[in-house]
Amino acid sequence: MDITDVRAHHIRIPYDSGVASFRQGASAITALDMVLVEVSTDAGLTGWGDAFAYVCPRTTRNAVEEMIAPQARGLKVPDAAGIPAVMEQIQRNLHLFGRYGITMFAISGLDIALWDLAAKIEGVPVHRLLGETRRTAIPAYASLLRIGTPDNIAAECRKALALGYGAIKLHETTAPAVFAAREAIGPGIPLMVDMNCPLTAAQAIAFATTCRDARPMFLEEPVWPPEDFAALAEVRSKGGLDIAAGENACTEYQFRQMMEAGAVSHAQPSVTKVGGITEFVKVAALADRRGVKIVPHSPYFGPGLLATLHLLATRDDGLVEMFHLKREACLWGGRIDADATGHVAVPSGPGLGYEPDRGVMERYRVA
């Protein structure tokens, strides 16, 4: 079976996040952009991938079309055992663009699609190709966007708990915000704090010390720049809290550097950024050897979320991240929403398990 074409689809689905906001610079973002990667074959099977594209969809789409499609057209569709070699060769072919950023986002999309195809050919879900199935539903945490005011934070936390979520993540940078959330959810609910890289090491240590009594599960990306693993390690050793990072890291190699520095207690590979399922599996194996927990970055609406569920199905631990918002439409007919117990079912059909709704794709397509 040969790959006949690779197409990139830019889909933009609006959402309502209430009192919260998602910003890029001075601009508020009210829709989530996705770049779906469609891999067609001469046998009529189609594989679907997902390339990271929050605020760079046109750039990611161009990367898929200009860099990835020419590499993939005409290739034999590999089986699961052959995908890593194919992807390494593509990384080698494109290495002059760097093994990070947009290049790896586009590579990730192709990799996920190849795993979707490999599992469809075998007639099994992706997680069956990855190892033993340990979980059929994954506990989810509500990932709140930036809110700011303690009263609103407390109210949104309570809303998330009422929906069944068993854990909460903030995107806040002040101690009052953290303590407001803790008071609202009580002592037994896991609370995570994602800071998005604003502080120096000294500032982050001071913040961790101030927030210690609120007992966050971890501080996520507290320092700038995110690749300053020595600074992260210092915050981890002196701040008294666990540290999570990795959504901005690409390939197992960069995660190895992070872990060798002692920078993280929780690693957060993002399947649409790190290099796809192939690199995620390598990162998870490395983390397991080093005693680092895996908590993926996964606030997606597309195939990346499905891939994350399959990856977590083979593990005894790890939560799936779900944006706490109301989206206007769903590519999967609502089948990837958290249930009343705060769990998301792992798809059981062949490949990633579901085919995207073409009607939704057309309605929300960006030309």
Side-chain angles (χ1 to χ4, degrees), residues 197 199-202 221-236 243 245 248 254 257-258 261-264:
C197 316
L199 305 176
T200 66
E221 291 195 323
V223 303
W224 176 262
E227 63 271 24
D228 189 345
F229 301 142
L232 280 174
E234 184 180 6
V235 176
R236 184 184 176 198
I243 298 296
N248 287 305
Q254 195 168 29
Q257 292 176 317
M258 183 189 305
V264 292

Side-chain angles (χ1 to χ4, degrees), residues 43 55 95 107 151 188 295:
V55 293
H95 77 276
I107 284 174
D151 287 348
V295 183

